[in-house]
Amino acid sequence: MPTYRATISVTLRPSILDPEGKAVHQALQNLGHTTVDDVRVGKRIELTIEAEDKDTAYDVAETSCQKVLANPVTENYEISITAASPSAA
Amino acid sequence: MPTYRATISVTLRPSILDPEGKAVHQALQNLGHTTVDDVRVGKRIELTIEAEDKDTAYDVAETSCQKVLANPVTENYEISITAASPSAA
């Protein structure tokens, strides 16, 4: 069966405070990077999925986001699917 | 000064074990997503940078990666810069 790679970006919704981003921002300021105005930290997840076609792979990735990878109350997700095996299109 | 947005993906090098990815993989298997073969979890960081031009913004993002955001021994990073204010090009 063809293999697809799903690249998923999980980011905090803009209205949610991001303490990890704040900490990184402070660290950068302390190192002299005063031109950095804002930092947001999220997750980037790569799934390797065996599927008949791209749409099926997308569905698997989306269900995974909804059930495991993202918290729908505080986070947004974005999915992009690319072919990972020569037989995938 | 123009504002740029740097989107940075920090991923574990392929040779490095990823216990968080393994845990997510196991969770997906338990939920019946047996077509997911592999999971890798990384970070996605967005920096908002004030800079004269795109190249300067890229340099700030790259130095930030080397000093704070990524561990050069175990992680790779990828930077993409987009204009965030109308005056940026």
Side-chain angles (χ1 to χ4, degrees), chain A residues 34-78:
Chain A
T34 48
T35 54
V36 177
D37 283 339
D38 190 34
V39 181
R40 303 286 286 178
V41 179
K43 277 178 294 185
R44 180 182 191 277
I45 300 143
E46 270 181 30
L47 303 181
T48 310
I49 302 169
E50 272 182 41
E52 292 291 349
D53 52 41
K54 215 167 166 170
D55 289 347
T56 315
Y58 188 93
D59 287 346
V60 170
E62 186 156 47
T63 323
S64 305
C65 283
Q66 288 163 354
K67 288 194 184 163
V68 180
L69 302 173
N71 176 344
V73 178
T74 58
E75 293 171 326
N76 291 325
Y77 57 84
E78 237 179 73

Side-chain angles (χ1 to χ4, degrees), chain B residues 7-76:
Chain B
T7 305
I8 300 167
S9 293
V10 179
T11 48
L12 281 170
R13 286 173 191 263
S15 58
I16 305 285
L17 281 177
D18 177 5
E20 189 177 356
K22 283 269 173 294
V24 171
H25 185 221
Q26 193 58 51
L28 290 173
Q29 297 284 320
N30 293 346
L31 286 168
H33 289 301
T34 48
T35 55
V36 177
D37 283 340
D38 190 34
V39 180
R40 303 286 287 179
V41 179
K43 279 178 292 186
R44 180 183 192 277
I45 301 143
E46 270 181 28
L47 304 180
T48 311
I49 302 169
E50 272 181 40
E52 291 292 347
D53 52 42
K54 214 167 167 172
D55 289 348
T56 315
Y58 188 92
D59 287 346
V60 170
E62 185 156 45
T63 322
S64 305
C65 282
Q66 288 164 352
K67 287 194 187 163
V68 180
L69 301 173
N71 176 345
V73 177
T74 58
E75 292 170 327
N76 292 325

Side-chain angles (χ1 to χ4, degrees), chain A residues 9-33:
Chain A
S9 293
V10 178
T11 48
L12 282 169
R13 286 175 191 263
S15 58
I16 305 284
L17 281 178
D18 178 5
E20 188 177 356
K22 284 269 173 292
V24 172
H25 185 220
Q26 192 58 53
L28 290 174
Q29 297 283 320
N30 293 346
L31 286 168
H33 289 301

